[in-house]
PDB file of all heavy atoms in Angstrom:
ATOM      1  N   THR A   1     126.814 110.506 102.828  1.00 61.00           N
ATOM      2  CA  THR A   1     126.744 109.144 102.321  1.00 61.00           C
ATOM      3  C   THR A   1     125.891 108.296 103.237  1.00 61.00           C
ATOM      4  O   THR A   1     125.093 107.478 102.778  1.00 61.00           O
ATOM      5  CB  THR A   1     128.172 108.574 102.223  1.00 61.00           C
ATOM      6  OG1 THR A   1     128.932 109.435 101.389  1.00 61.00           O
ATOM      7  CG2 THR A   1     128.172 107.184 101.653  1.00 61.00           C
ATOM      8  N   GLN A   2     126.023 108.476 104.544  1.00 62.00           N
ATOM      9  CA  GLN A   2     125.254 107.677 105.495  1.00 62.00           C
ATOM     10  C   GLN A   2     123.768 107.985 105.393  1.00 62.00           C
ATOM     11  O   GLN A   2     122.945 107.075 105.457  1.00 62.00           O
ATOM     12  CB  GLN A   2     125.737 107.912 106.929  1.00 62.00           C
ATOM     13  CG  GLN A   2     125.145 106.922 107.896  1.00 62.00           C
ATOM     14  CD  GLN A   2     125.342 105.485 107.454  1.00 62.00           C
ATOM     15  OE1 GLN A   2     126.448 105.075 107.130  1.00 62.00           O
ATOM     16  NE2 GLN A   2     124.273 104.719 107.398  1.00 62.00           N
ATOM     17  N   ASP A   3     123.412 109.263 105.209  1.00 67.00           N
ATOM     18  CA  ASP A   3     122.001 109.605 105.040  1.00 67.00           C
ATOM     19  C   ASP A   3     121.428 108.896 103.822  1.00 67.00           C
ATOM     20  O   ASP A   3     120.315 108.383 103.854  1.00 67.00           O
ATOM     21  CB  ASP A   3     121.811 111.114 104.881  1.00 67.00           C
ATOM     22  CG  ASP A   3     122.061 111.873 106.174  1.00 67.00           C
ATOM     23  OD1 ASP A   3     122.082 111.249 107.255  1.00 67.00           O
ATOM     24  OD2 ASP A   3     122.259 113.103 106.093  1.00 67.00           O
ATOM     25  N   HIS A   4     122.197 108.852 102.744  1.00 67.00           N
ATOM     26  CA  HIS A   4     121.763 108.179 101.519  1.00 67.00           C
ATOM     27  C   HIS A   4     121.572 106.685 101.775  1.00 67.00           C
ATOM     28  O   HIS A   4     120.564 106.104 101.392  1.00 67.00           O
ATOM     29  CB  HIS A   4     122.787 108.406 100.402  1.00 67.00           C
ATOM     30  CG  HIS A   4     122.489 107.642  99.158  1.00 67.00           C
ATOM     31  ND1 HIS A   4     121.419 107.939  98.350  1.00 67.00           N
ATOM     32  CD2 HIS A   4     123.112 106.575  98.608  1.00 67.00           C
ATOM     33  CE1 HIS A   4     121.400 107.086  97.339  1.00 67.00           C
ATOM     34  NE2 HIS A   4     122.414 106.248  97.474  1.00 67.00           N
ATOM     35  N   ALA A   5     122.521 106.062 102.441  1.00 66.00           N
ATOM     36  CA  ALA A   5     122.439 104.627 102.734  1.00 66.00           C
ATOM     37  C   ALA A   5     121.238 104.325 103.629  1.00 66.00           C
ATOM     38  O   ALA A   5     120.524 103.342 103.418  1.00 66.00           O
ATOM     39  CB  ALA A   5     123.726 104.137 103.387  1.00 66.00           C
ATOM     40  N   ASP A   6     121.004 105.169 104.628  1.00 69.00           N
ATOM     41  CA  ASP A   6     119.853 104.974 105.517  1.00 69.00           C
ATOM     42  C   ASP A   6     118.546 105.087 104.740  1.00 69.00           C
ATOM     43  O   ASP A   6     117.605 104.330 104.972  1.00 69.00           O
ATOM     44  CB  ASP A   6     119.867 105.995 106.654  1.00 69.00           C
ATOM     45  CG  ASP A   6     120.979 105.737 107.661  1.00 69.00           C
ATOM     46  OD1 ASP A   6     121.570 104.641 107.655  1.00 69.00           O
ATOM     47  OD2 ASP A   6     121.257 106.655 108.457  1.00 69.00           O
ATOM     48  N   GLU A   7     118.475 106.038 103.829  1.00 72.00           N
ATOM     49  CA  GLU A   7     117.263 106.224 103.028  1.00 72.00           C
ATOM     50  C   GLU A   7     117.023 105.022 102.120  1.00 72.00           C
ATOM     51  O   GLU A   7     115.896 104.555 101.978  1.00 72.00           O
ATOM     52  CB  GLU A   7     117.364 107.518 102.196  1.00 72.00           C
ATOM     53  CG  GLU A   7     116.159 107.791 101.328  1.00 72.00           C
ATOM     54  CD  GLU A   7     114.858 107.972 102.107  1.00 72.00           C
ATOM     55  OE1 GLU A   7     114.883 108.243 103.313  1.00 72.00           O
ATOM     56  OE2 GLU A   7     113.784 107.815 101.481  1.00 72.00           O
ATOM     57  N   VAL A   8     118.081 104.481 101.513  1.00 70.00           N
ATOM     58  CA  VAL A   8     117.939 103.291 100.673  1.00 70.00           C
ATOM     59  C   VAL A   8     117.418 102.129 101.507  1.00 70.00           C
ATOM     60  O   VAL A   8     116.487 101.420 101.100  1.00 70.00           O
ATOM     61  CB  VAL A   8     119.286 102.922  99.997  1.00 70.00           C
ATOM     62  CG1 VAL A   8     119.224 101.552  99.350  1.00 70.00           C
ATOM     63  CG2 VAL A   8     119.665 103.975  98.963  1.00 70.00           C
ATOM     64  N   ALA A   9     117.971 101.923 102.692  1.00 72.00           N
ATOM     65  CA  ALA A   9     117.532 100.831 103.564  1.00 72.00           C
ATOM     66  C   ALA A   9     116.066 101.010 103.948  1.00 72.00           C
ATOM     67  O   ALA A   9     115.282 100.052 103.918  1.00 72.00           O
ATOM     68  CB  ALA A   9     118.401 100.763 104.814  1.00 72.00           C
ATOM     69  N   ARG A  10     115.683 102.218 104.301  1.00 71.00           N
ATOM     70  CA  ARG A  10     114.300 102.488 104.687  1.00 71.00           C
ATOM     71  C   ARG A  10     113.347 102.205 103.519  1.00 71.00           C
ATOM     72  O   ARG A  10     112.321 101.557 103.680  1.00 71.00           O
ATOM     73  CB  ARG A  10     114.147 103.936 105.149  1.00 71.00           C
ATOM     74  CG  ARG A  10     112.777 104.238 105.754  1.00 71.00           C
ATOM     75  CD  ARG A  10     112.587 105.711 106.038  1.00 71.00           C
ATOM     76  NE  ARG A  10     112.550 106.518 104.834  1.00 71.00           N
ATOM     77  CZ  ARG A  10     111.516 106.573 103.986  1.00 71.00           C
ATOM     78  NH1 ARG A  10     110.448 105.855 104.200  1.00 71.00           N
ATOM     79  NH2 ARG A  10     111.543 107.335 102.913  1.00 71.00           N
ATOM     80  N   GLN A  11     113.716 102.658 102.325  1.00 72.00           N
ATOM     81  CA  GLN A  11     112.861 102.443 101.158  1.00 72.00           C
ATOM     82  C   GLN A  11     112.701 100.951 100.850  1.00 72.00           C
ATOM     83  O   GLN A  11     111.608 100.496 100.515  1.00 72.00           O
ATOM     84  CB  GLN A  11     113.428 103.164  99.940  1.00 72.00           C
ATOM     85  CG  GLN A  11     113.268 104.663 100.006  1.00 72.00           C
ATOM     86  CD  GLN A  11     113.976 105.380  98.874  1.00 72.00           C
ATOM     87  OE1 GLN A  11     114.638 104.770  98.036  1.00 72.00           O
ATOM     88  NE2 GLN A  11     113.844 106.698  98.831  1.00 72.00           N
ATOM     89  N   LEU A  12     113.780 100.199 100.961  1.00 75.00           N
ATOM     90  CA  LEU A  12     113.708  98.759 100.701  1.00 75.00           C
ATOM     91  C   LEU A  12     112.817  98.056 101.719  1.00 75.00           C
ATOM     92  O   LEU A  12     112.016  97.190 101.361  1.00 75.00           O
ATOM     93  CB  LEU A  12     115.107  98.141 100.702  1.00 75.00           C
ATOM     94  CG  LEU A  12     116.002  98.496  99.510  1.00 75.00           C
ATOM     95  CD1 LEU A  12     117.423  98.016  99.753  1.00 75.00           C
ATOM     96  CD2 LEU A  12     115.439  97.898  98.233  1.00 75.00           C
ATOM     97  N   LEU A  13     112.939  98.430 102.987  1.00 75.00           N
ATOM     98  CA  LEU A  13     112.102  97.809 104.021  1.00 75.00           C
ATOM     99  C   LEU A  13     110.628  98.174 103.845  1.00 75.00           C
ATOM    100  O   LEU A  13     109.752  97.323 103.992  1.00 75.00           O
ATOM    101  CB  LEU A  13     112.568  98.228 105.414  1.00 75.00           C
ATOM    102  CG  LEU A  13     113.744  97.457 105.982  1.00 75.00           C
ATOM    103  CD1 LEU A  13     114.139  98.028 107.336  1.00 75.00           C
ATOM    104  CD2 LEU A  13     113.421  95.982 106.120  1.00 75.00           C
ATOM    105  N   VAL A  14     110.356  99.429 103.511  1.00 73.00           N
ATOM    106  CA  VAL A  14     108.970  99.851 103.300  1.00 73.00           C
ATOM    107  C   VAL A  14     108.371  99.111 102.107  1.00 73.00           C
ATOM    108  O   VAL A  14     107.253  98.586 102.182  1.00 73.00           O
ATOM    109  CB  VAL A  14     108.874 101.383 103.113  1.00 73.00           C
ATOM    110  CG1 VAL A  14     107.499 101.792 102.599  1.00 73.00           C
ATOM    111  CG2 VAL A  14     109.174 102.105 104.422  1.00 73.00           C
ATOM    112  N   ALA A  15     109.119  99.016 101.013  1.00 74.00           N
ATOM    113  CA  ALA A  15     108.622  98.313  99.825  1.00 74.00           C
ATOM    114  C   ALA A  15     108.338  96.852 100.150  1.00 74.00           C
ATOM    115  O   ALA A  15     107.297  96.298  99.762  1.00 74.00           O
ATOM    116  CB  ALA A  15     109.628  98.417  98.682  1.00 74.00           C
ATOM    117  N   ARG A  16     109.234  96.225 100.888  1.00 74.00           N
ATOM    118  CA  ARG A  16     109.043  94.816 101.257  1.00 74.00           C
ATOM    119  C   ARG A  16     107.837  94.665 102.184  1.00 74.00           C
ATOM    120  O   ARG A  16     107.049  93.741 102.058  1.00 74.00           O
ATOM    121  CB  ARG A  16     110.294  94.280 101.947  1.00 74.00           C
ATOM    122  CG  ARG A  16     110.224  92.789 102.184  1.00 74.00           C
ATOM    123  CD  ARG A  16     111.574  92.248 102.628  1.00 74.00           C
ATOM    124  NE  ARG A  16     111.570  90.813 102.581  1.00 74.00           N
ATOM    125  CZ  ARG A  16     110.935  90.028 103.450  1.00 74.00           C
ATOM    126  NH1 ARG A  16     110.250  90.551 104.422  1.00 74.00           N
ATOM    127  NH2 ARG A  16     110.984  88.722 103.333  1.00 74.00           N
ATOM    128  N   ALA A  17     107.670  95.602 103.114  1.00 74.00           N
ATOM    129  CA  ALA A  17     106.540  95.551 104.036  1.00 74.00           C
ATOM    130  C   ALA A  17     105.221  95.737 103.290  1.00 74.00           C
ATOM    131  O   ALA A  17     104.238  95.039 103.563  1.00 74.00           O
ATOM    132  CB  ALA A  17     106.696  96.609 105.124  1.00 74.00           C
ATOM    133  N   ILE A  18     105.185  96.655 102.334  1.00 75.00           N
ATOM    134  CA  ILE A  18     103.967  96.887 101.554  1.00 75.00           C
ATOM    135  C   ILE A  18     103.621  95.642 100.739  1.00 75.00           C
ATOM    136  O   ILE A  18     102.460  95.250 100.638  1.00 75.00           O
ATOM    137  CB  ILE A  18     104.101  98.138 100.661  1.00 75.00           C
ATOM    138  CG1 ILE A  18     104.067  99.400 101.540  1.00 75.00           C
ATOM    139  CG2 ILE A  18     102.998  98.197  99.608  1.00 75.00           C
ATOM    140  CD1 ILE A  18     104.371 100.689 100.816  1.00 75.00           C
ATOM    141  N   GLU A  19     104.630  94.982 100.176  1.00 75.00           N
ATOM    142  CA  GLU A  19     104.390  93.758  99.411  1.00 75.00           C
ATOM    143  C   GLU A  19     103.783  92.662 100.276  1.00 75.00           C
ATOM    144  O   GLU A  19     103.086  91.786  99.768  1.00 75.00           O
ATOM    145  CB  GLU A  19     105.692  93.247  98.796  1.00 75.00           C
ATOM    146  CG  GLU A  19     106.185  94.075  97.637  1.00 75.00           C
ATOM    147  CD  GLU A  19     107.565  93.644  97.165  1.00 75.00           C
ATOM    148  OE1 GLU A  19     108.032  92.545  97.543  1.00 75.00           O
ATOM    149  OE2 GLU A  19     108.176  94.411  96.410  1.00 75.00           O
ATOM    150  N   SER A  20     104.032  92.692 101.587  1.00 74.00           N
ATOM    151  CA  SER A  20     103.528  91.649 102.479  1.00 74.00           C
ATOM    152  C   SER A  20     102.053  91.837 102.837  1.00 74.00           C
ATOM    153  O   SER A  20     101.441  90.953 103.411  1.00 74.00           O
ATOM    154  CB  SER A  20     104.363  91.598 103.765  1.00 74.00           C
ATOM    155  OG  SER A  20     104.042  92.686 104.609  1.00 74.00           O
ATOM    156  N   LEU A  21     101.480  92.993 102.504  1.00 77.00           N
ATOM    157  CA  LEU A  21     100.073  93.265 102.827  1.00 77.00           C
ATOM    158  C   LEU A  21      99.139  92.477 101.916  1.00 77.00           C
ATOM    159  O   LEU A  21      99.478  92.204 100.759  1.00 77.00           O
ATOM    160  CB  LEU A  21      99.773  94.758 102.657  1.00 77.00           C
ATOM    161  CG  LEU A  21     100.471  95.726 103.595  1.00 77.00           C
ATOM    162  CD1 LEU A  21     100.224  97.160 103.153  1.00 77.00           C
ATOM    163  CD2 LEU A  21     100.017  95.514 105.029  1.00 77.00           C
ATOM    164  N   PRO A  22      97.933  92.149 102.405  1.00 82.00           N
ATOM    165  CA  PRO A  22      96.929  91.537 101.524  1.00 82.00           C
ATOM    166  C   PRO A  22      96.619  92.496 100.371  1.00 82.00           C
ATOM    167  O   PRO A  22      96.787  93.720 100.506  1.00 82.00           O
ATOM    168  CB  PRO A  22      95.712  91.363 102.432  1.00 82.00           C
ATOM    169  CG  PRO A  22      96.251  91.425 103.829  1.00 82.00           C
ATOM    170  CD  PRO A  22      97.472  92.285 103.777  1.00 82.00           C
ATOM    171  N   GLU A  23      96.128  91.958  99.272  1.00 84.00           N
ATOM    172  CA  GLU A  23      95.942  92.740  98.044  1.00 84.00           C
ATOM    173  C   GLU A  23      95.114  94.004  98.234  1.00 84.00           C
ATOM    174  O   GLU A  23      95.513  95.089  97.812  1.00 84.00           O
ATOM    175  CB  GLU A  23      95.319  91.861  96.954  1.00 84.00           C
ATOM    176  CG  GLU A  23      95.234  92.559  95.615  1.00 84.00           C
ATOM    177  CD  GLU A  23      94.670  91.666  94.531  1.00 84.00           C
ATOM    178  OE1 GLU A  23      94.660  90.427  94.701  1.00 84.00           O
ATOM    179  OE2 GLU A  23      94.226  92.216  93.518  1.00 84.00           O
ATOM    180  N   ARG A  24      93.937  93.904  98.886  1.00 87.00           N
ATOM    181  CA  ARG A  24      93.089  95.088  99.051  1.00 87.00           C
ATOM    182  C   ARG A  24      93.781  96.134  99.923  1.00 87.00           C
ATOM    183  O   ARG A  24      93.793  97.326  99.604  1.00 87.00           O
ATOM    184  CB  ARG A  24      91.739  94.709  99.644  1.00 87.00           C
ATOM    185  CG  ARG A  24      90.762  95.895  99.663  1.00 87.00           C
ATOM    186  CD  ARG A  24      89.445  95.579 100.303  1.00 87.00           C
ATOM    187  NE  ARG A  24      89.626  95.430 101.743  1.00 87.00           N
ATOM    188  CZ  ARG A  24      88.812  94.763 102.530  1.00 87.00           C
ATOM    189  NH1 ARG A  24      87.752  94.150 102.041  1.00 87.00           N
ATOM    190  NH2 ARG A  24      89.035  94.682 103.827  1.00 87.00           N
ATOM    191  N   ALA A  25      94.388  95.692 101.025  1.00 84.00           N
ATOM    192  CA  ALA A  25      95.076  96.632 101.918  1.00 84.00           C
ATOM    193  C   ALA A  25      96.241  97.305 101.188  1.00 84.00           C
ATOM    194  O   ALA A  25      96.478  98.502 101.360  1.00 84.00           O
ATOM    195  CB  ALA A  25      95.575  95.912 103.163  1.00 84.00           C
ATOM    196  N   ARG A  26      96.955  96.539 100.375  1.00 81.00           N
ATOM    197  CA  ARG A  26      98.069  97.104  99.603  1.00 81.00           C
ATOM    198  C   ARG A  26      97.555  98.191  98.655  1.00 81.00           C
ATOM    199  O   ARG A  26      98.128  99.271  98.545  1.00 81.00           O
ATOM    200  CB  ARG A  26      98.790  95.993  98.835  1.00 81.00           C
ATOM    201  CG  ARG A  26     100.041  96.464  98.131  1.00 81.00           C
ATOM    202  CD  ARG A  26     100.870  95.337  97.514  1.00 81.00           C
ATOM    203  NE  ARG A  26     100.094  94.394  96.746  1.00 81.00           N
ATOM    204  CZ  ARG A  26      99.932  93.106  97.064  1.00 81.00           C
ATOM    205  NH1 ARG A  26     100.470  92.603  98.142  1.00 81.00           N
ATOM    206  NH2 ARG A  26      99.211  92.316  96.290  1.00 81.00           N
ATOM    207  N   SER A  27      96.423  97.920  97.985  1.00 85.00           N
ATOM    208  CA  SER A  27      95.834  98.917  97.078  1.00 85.00           C
ATOM    209  C   SER A  27      95.433 100.173  97.830  1.00 85.00           C
ATOM    210  O   SER A  27      95.691 101.289  97.373  1.00 85.00           O
ATOM    211  CB  SER A  27      94.601  98.333  96.372  1.00 85.00           C
ATOM    212  OG  SER A  27      94.967  97.255  95.561  1.00 85.00           O
TER     213      SER A  27
END
């Protein structure tokens, strides 16, 4: 269960970080 929770947290942070990139860099 903890591995699953850690993976969810990591995915959410990565998605949020990618959204913060400028448009060209994000692409």
Side-chain angles (χ1 to χ4, degrees):
T1 303
Q2 191 52 51
D3 289 344
H4 174 69
D6 289 345
E7 180 61 19
V8 169
R10 188 187 66 74
Q11 287 173 358
L12 289 170
L13 278 177
V14 168
R16 188 169 192 286
I18 288 172
E19 287 173 14
S20 75
L21 295 171
E23 186 178 342
R24 187 183 71 202
R26 186 172 47 245
S27 296

